[in-house]
Amino acid sequence: MPGRILVLDPRPAPRAAVAAALAGAFFEAVEATTPALARALAADHRPDAAVVAATANGLQACRSLAQAHPACPLLVYDTAPEAPARLAAFEAGATDCLSRPLDARALCARLHSLTRTKTTLDQLDDTIAALRVIGLGPEPLPSTHAHHGAVILLVCGESALETALARTLHDHLGATVELAEDAADALAYLKTHRVNAIVLGPGPSPDSIARLATALAAHPKTREAGLILLAPPDAHSLAQNALQAGLPDALTLDPADPAGGLAEVAARLRVQLQRRARLERLHREIRHGLDLALTDPLTGLSNRRYADARTAALAATGKPLAAMVLDLDEFKHVNDHYGHSAGDKVLVEFARRLRLNVRAGDVVARIGGEEFLVLMPEIRTDAAARVAERVRHAVETPRFAIDDQGGEIALTVSIGLALHDGNTTRDAASVTARAGQALLLSKRAGRNTVTVLAA
């Protein structure tokens, strides 16, 4: 099933018509006759969207549902065709709206668009919830006014409409509006600039603009941006086809009320920008959780889980690979005599020196208490040995601070270095094991030395 839709309408005949339209598009309809029943059904069934009739108490019900179930898209239908009525629906918390008479195809097209977006957001929410269960998810970030400071690209092709729409978007949203003359100009701009939303006006070639809209909705750089297609007044099917093709929103402007139509564009963009901000916020939280899963919390280096995965990936390339395993000499003495806070301070400083003295593209990880690993792809034996010696010398001097009162301690590091040239039959993934063997040889040789095992 494409989704479960809550339908709130006290009138039997219109409610039945909506339910029939939804069934024809393979939606499951859950019907309610009162706002109280709608809230109860929303709590029990967790619908993918709600369709609310613009009756006498419909907008109040919309406000109530929006507050109780903010993640559920709300489509208000059967509004008066005039712009003030449609704008009132958005002010009440609607995500979308449709005027009377009911157009079943338009209703289902808009619901498909709304439920696609909700499915994406729900999946991200589930991922973050799973991360929080294992202690890897951050607290939710606060909501902000996503439209303030947004950059909107306007591709119109009609100077009068372009000027009026740019002014409206700036006045209603506080957004910066950039202009593009046509599809080619828009694509050139998007290659070097990041935008929050795109508005595509009808222009002289609506079909060309519609094709551009479909391409932008699918492109990795713009598919998560807000996007509205403005179809000519006589091209309702163009807007519906665009929604079916995956566009977030499309509408026709009413030539009898151009100002009201432009205000509706701004209202619709506000909704899209809010959803886009939520999507970006969820992506940031997931990236944070993944960072926690793959990062050593003390030093900020990669952890063993990440190092093992990168070793396997680099080994699979068949290219030369060097592994350097490092162990701070007599580190237990630091913890035993100066305390674990001093030991942590030493480890953080050692990680800093290590990062500074390896190559920019090398993988640096903490794989144990005082044991570290550096993976150096595509490097020769002599160059890898020079890196190891540079690290050894950087640890030997200067001394390490162990407190905030000027206390210092001298430390050294033992290093084992192993190489795989990409041509031998030896399993490249074993290079880290051989580096560990080389480390033991360095320890046996008296510490503070580098031992190299060639391929």
Side-chain angles (χ1 to χ4, degrees), residues 44-188:
D44 290 342
H45 293 276
R46 299 185 62 188
D48 298 290
V51 177
V52 180
T55 55
N57 61 353
L59 295 187
Q60 181 57 43
C62 184
R63 291 187 184 91
S64 177
L65 283 170
Q67 292 173 358
H69 304 281
C72 180
L74 300 175
L75 189 152
V76 174
Y77 79 100
D78 212 17
T79 69
E82 294 78 20
R86 298 163 68 89
L87 292 174
F90 286 108
E91 289 295 327
T95 313
D96 203 344
C97 69
L98 280 174
S99 301
R100 66 174 75 99
L102 177 66
D103 184 325
R105 184 166 177 256
L107 172 69
C108 293
R110 292 187 176 278
L111 286 173
H112 279 298
S113 178
L114 293 175
T115 54
R116 276 194 300 268
T117 301
K118 184 176 185 296
T119 297
T120 299
L121 294 171
D122 285 348
Q123 290 170 344
L124 294 175
D125 272 329
D126 290 343
T127 300
I128 291 170
L131 289 172
R132 289 199 179 104
V133 167
I134 57 176
L136 298 177
E139 290 300 314
L141 297 173
S143 299
T144 59
H145 294 292
H147 51 279
H148 290 314
V151 178
I152 300 173
L153 178 63
L154 175 57
V155 190
C156 186
E158 294 182 3
S159 58
L161 177 59
E162 184 177 78
T163 301
L165 185 52
R167 185 185 303 113
T168 299
L169 296 179
H170 179 271
D171 292 346
H172 283 69
L173 302 177
T176 298
V177 180
E178 301 290 344
L179 306 178
E181 293 183 2
D182 51 27
D185 192 25
L187 291 173

Side-chain angles (χ1 to χ4, degrees), residues 94-438:
T95 313
D96 203 344
C97 69
L98 280 174
S99 301
R100 66 174 75 99
L102 177 66
D103 184 325
R105 184 166 177 256
L107 172 69
C108 293
R110 292 187 176 278
L111 286 173
H112 279 298
S113 178
L114 293 175
T115 54
R116 276 194 300 268
T117 301
K118 184 176 185 296
T119 297
T120 299
L121 294 171
D122 285 348
Q123 290 170 344
L124 294 175
D125 272 329
D126 290 343
T127 300
I128 291 170
L131 289 172
R132 289 199 179 104
V133 167
I134 57 176
L136 298 177
E139 290 300 314
L141 297 173
S143 299
T144 59
H145 294 292
H147 51 279
H148 290 314
V151 178
I152 300 173
L153 178 63
L154 175 57
V155 190
C156 186
E158 294 182 3
S159 58
L161 177 59
E162 184 177 78
T163 301
L165 185 52
R167 185 185 303 113
T168 299
L169 296 179
H170 179 271
D171 292 346
H172 283 69
L173 302 177
T176 298
V177 180
E178 301 290 344
L179 306 178
E181 293 183 2
D182 51 27
D185 192 25
L187 291 173
Y189 181 86
L190 291 169
K191 283 183 179 180
T192 56
H193 295 79
R194 182 177 180 272
V195 299
N196 303 98
I198 306 168
V199 180
L200 302 174
S205 177
D207 289 335
S208 173
I209 291 296
R211 289 193 298 272
L212 173 63
T214 302
L216 294 176
H219 195 278
K221 287 186 66 175
T222 52
R223 66 186 173 200
E224 292 182 357
L227 181 60
I228 293 184
L229 172 66
L230 304 181
D234 56 350
H236 290 279
S237 61
L238 182 65
Q240 293 172 12
N241 291 338
L243 290 168
Q244 294 281 15
L247 263 69
D249 203 354
L251 73 154
T252 57
L253 293 176
D254 182 2
D257 185 11
L262 298 183
E264 182 179 346
V265 173
R268 289 177 176 274
L269 268 182
R270 180 181 285 107
V271 170
Q272 287 203 40
L273 290 170
Q274 288 170 344
R275 285 188 294 179
R276 183 183 185 278
R278 182 184 169 208
L279 185 64
E280 289 184 341
R281 187 164 64 249
L282 293 176
H283 279 309
R284 286 199 304 274
E285 291 183 6
I286 289 175
R287 285 194 295 270
H288 177 78
L290 293 176
D291 286 344
L292 290 176
L294 302 175
T295 303
D296 172 57
L298 175 63
T299 64
L301 300 179
S302 301
N303 62 14
R304 184 167 206 132
R305 182 187 292 111
Y306 179 80
D308 289 344
R310 287 296 293 150
T311 301
L314 291 170
T317 65
K319 297 178 180 179
L321 175 66
M324 181 165 59
V325 177
L326 311 93
D327 187 272
L328 281 170
D329 298 325
E330 305 291 352
F331 180 74
K332 186 175 183 297
H333 173 81
V334 179
N335 282 332
D336 290 346
H337 288 76
Y338 301 101
H340 286 278
S341 61
D344 288 348
K345 199 175 188 69
V346 166
L347 290 173
V348 170
E349 172 60 15
F350 173 74
R352 186 189 71 82
R353 297 186 193 184
L354 182 56
R355 268 189 299 234
L356 285 176
N357 287 282
V358 298
R359 302 177 307 167
D362 293 339
V363 177
V364 186
R366 182 187 179 196
I367 58 175
E370 65 270 19
E371 192 170 341
F372 295 77
L373 170 69
V374 178
L375 299 173
M376 296 179 282
E378 300 185 53
I379 192 170
R380 299 189 312 272
T381 301
D382 57 344
R386 285 196 298 272
V387 172
E389 282 293 342
R390 186 165 65 236
V391 171
R392 187 193 65 78
H393 179 72
V395 173
E396 192 174 30
T397 181
R399 294 162 65 92
F400 284 73
I402 56 173
D403 56 40
D404 296 330
Q405 286 74 47
E408 293 181 334
I409 187 173
L411 287 172
T412 59
V413 65
S414 296
I415 300 175
L417 180 63
L419 294 104
H420 177 79
D421 61 11
N423 297 317
T424 62
T425 57
R426 191 196 303 269
D427 179 12
S430 68
V431 68
T432 55
R434 292 191 296 117
Q437 295 168 5

